[in-house]
């Protein structure tokens, strides 16, 4: 099979991360969580006391940022005792565990609507796509960042299902109730779908998959069948 650039978009809690990682592993491809990049910018903005709509401050921040993914095998070679998946580094500091909370999620949704942030990350993401053999997970990968991607998926699920999945994911890290998580998710959905710049929506040629009643393994198998059909 030829080298492919695959995008998987969709709202929070649809199962994108689990599915994208599994699909990349099955194909022996790299996996890129682009949402983590926006979270990284949000984390650094919060650390410096910047407002989400401070375009001058955000532009200056982006000019100083060096965001990159370091993969587990590289961390282990560098002497880490344990490592799994990919880790996000900002200016050589591992911030992976610090960007996964509801506050950073909401701030990431807000800063992602700022043109200065999107311009910075657009070039960064496209550089990461050089050479293909990569699965990009995000919200506008197929529609905006990689309109020429070989295969585009849009993964969705009912809001109740997405809230329950996110609650299970965060239950050991937060005191939020499932109702509060669903409320946060509703706000983020509204922000992402109604923003004027790169709103959350499937690319015109995306393959739409509803994962409400499917397991992650079933979604991956369905994606692999679509890939096989498109690549012959």
């Amino acid at each position: 099979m030829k080298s492919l650039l695959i995008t998987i978009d969709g709202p929070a809690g649809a199962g994108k991360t689990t599915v994208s990682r599994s699909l990349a592993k099955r194909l022996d491809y790299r996996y890129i969580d682009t949402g983590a990049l926006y979270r990284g910018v949000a984390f650094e903005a919060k650390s410096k006391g910047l407002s989400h709509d401070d375009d001058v401050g955000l532009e200056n921040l982006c000019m100083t940022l060096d965001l990159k993914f370091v993969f587990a095998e590289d961390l282990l070679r560098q002497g880490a005792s344990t490592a799994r998946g990919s880790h996000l580094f900002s200016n050589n500091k591992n911030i992976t565990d610090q960007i996964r909370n509801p506050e950073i999620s909401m701030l990431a949704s807000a800063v992602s609507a700022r043109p200065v942030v999107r311009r910075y990350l657009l070039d960064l993401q496209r550089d990461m796509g050089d050479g293909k053999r990569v699965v990009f997970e995000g919200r506008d990968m197929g529609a905006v960042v990689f309109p020429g991607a070989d295969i585009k998926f849009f993964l969705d699920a009912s809001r109740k299902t997405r809230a329950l999945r996110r609650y299970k994911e965060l239950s050991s890290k937060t005191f939020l109730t499932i109702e509060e998580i669903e409320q946060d998710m509703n706000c983020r959905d509204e922000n992402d779908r109604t923003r004027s710049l790169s709103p959350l929506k499937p690319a015109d040629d995306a393959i739409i998959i509803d994962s409400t009643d499917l397991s992650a393994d079933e979604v991956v198998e369905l994606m692999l069948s679509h890939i096989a059909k498109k690549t012959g």
Side-chain angles (χ1 to χ4, degrees), residues 62-165:
C62 289
M63 290 173 63
T64 67
L65 284 182
D66 178 21
L67 292 175
K68 63 182 179 182
F69 288 105
V70 179
F71 296 91
E73 54 268 27
D74 296 319
L75 290 173
L76 293 171
R77 278 196 295 268
Q78 293 168 14
S81 56
T82 59
R84 292 180 57 195
S86 60
H87 293 245
L88 181 66
F89 279 68
S90 174
N91 297 337
N92 295 317
K93 178 184 177 182
N94 191 339
I95 62 171
T96 304
D97 293 335
Q98 296 164 276
I99 62 173
R100 297 294 175 182
N101 63 65
E103 182 182 10
I104 295 298
S105 294
M106 288 301 296
L107 184 56
S109 180
V111 301
S112 70
R114 312 310 297 183
V116 294
V117 175
R118 300 199 76 85
R119 280 198 300 270
Y120 164 67
L121 291 181
L122 181 65
D123 290 339
L124 182 60
Q125 289 166 147
R126 286 179 173 170
D127 286 343
M128 291 179 176
D130 284 349
K132 300 194 177 185
R133 296 186 63 82
V134 60
V135 175
F136 278 91
E137 172 204 344
R139 279 174 165 70
D140 64 350
M141 293 297 100
V144 176
V145 181
F146 297 108
D150 298 291
I151 299 178
K152 306 172 187 178
F153 293 106
F154 189 91
L155 188 62
D156 206 348
S158 72
R159 193 165 285 172
K160 290 288 185 184
T161 298
R162 294 192 290 116
L164 179 59
R165 289 172 179 170

Side-chain angles (χ1 to χ4, degrees), residues 15-72:
K16 297 192 307 297
T17 299
T18 300
V19 166
S20 298
R21 284 176 174 163
S22 181
L23 181 64
K25 186 174 181 180
R26 291 283 297 273
L27 295 171
D28 194 24
Y29 278 21
R30 288 177 297 134
Y31 156 68
I32 301 294
D33 174 11
T34 62
L37 297 174
Y38 285 98
R39 289 170 180 268
V41 174
F43 172 79
E44 293 292 1
K46 181 177 182 295
S47 299
K48 292 174 172 53
L50 296 175
S51 170
H52 75 275
D53 57 357
D54 180 359
D55 287 338
V56 173
L58 289 171
E59 185 171 24
N60 290 334
L61 171 68
C62 289
M63 290 173 63
T64 67
L65 284 182
D66 178 21
L67 292 175
K68 63 182 179 182
F69 288 105
V70 179
F71 296 91

Side-chain angles (χ1 to χ4, degrees), residues 189-201:
D189 283 353
E190 184 68 14
N191 288 342
D192 288 348
R193 288 190 167 116
T194 60
R195 67 190 180 210
S196 59
L197 185 66
S198 299
L200 173 65
K201 63 178 183 178

Side-chain angles (χ1 to χ4, degrees), residues 179-196:
E179 290 79 15
E180 290 170 326
I181 288 175
E182 185 173 359
Q183 184 177 3
D184 285 344
M185 187 172 285
N186 291 345
C187 290
R188 187 174 182 187
D189 283 353
E190 184 68 14
N191 288 342
D192 288 348
R193 288 190 167 116
T194 60
R195 67 190 180 210
S196 59

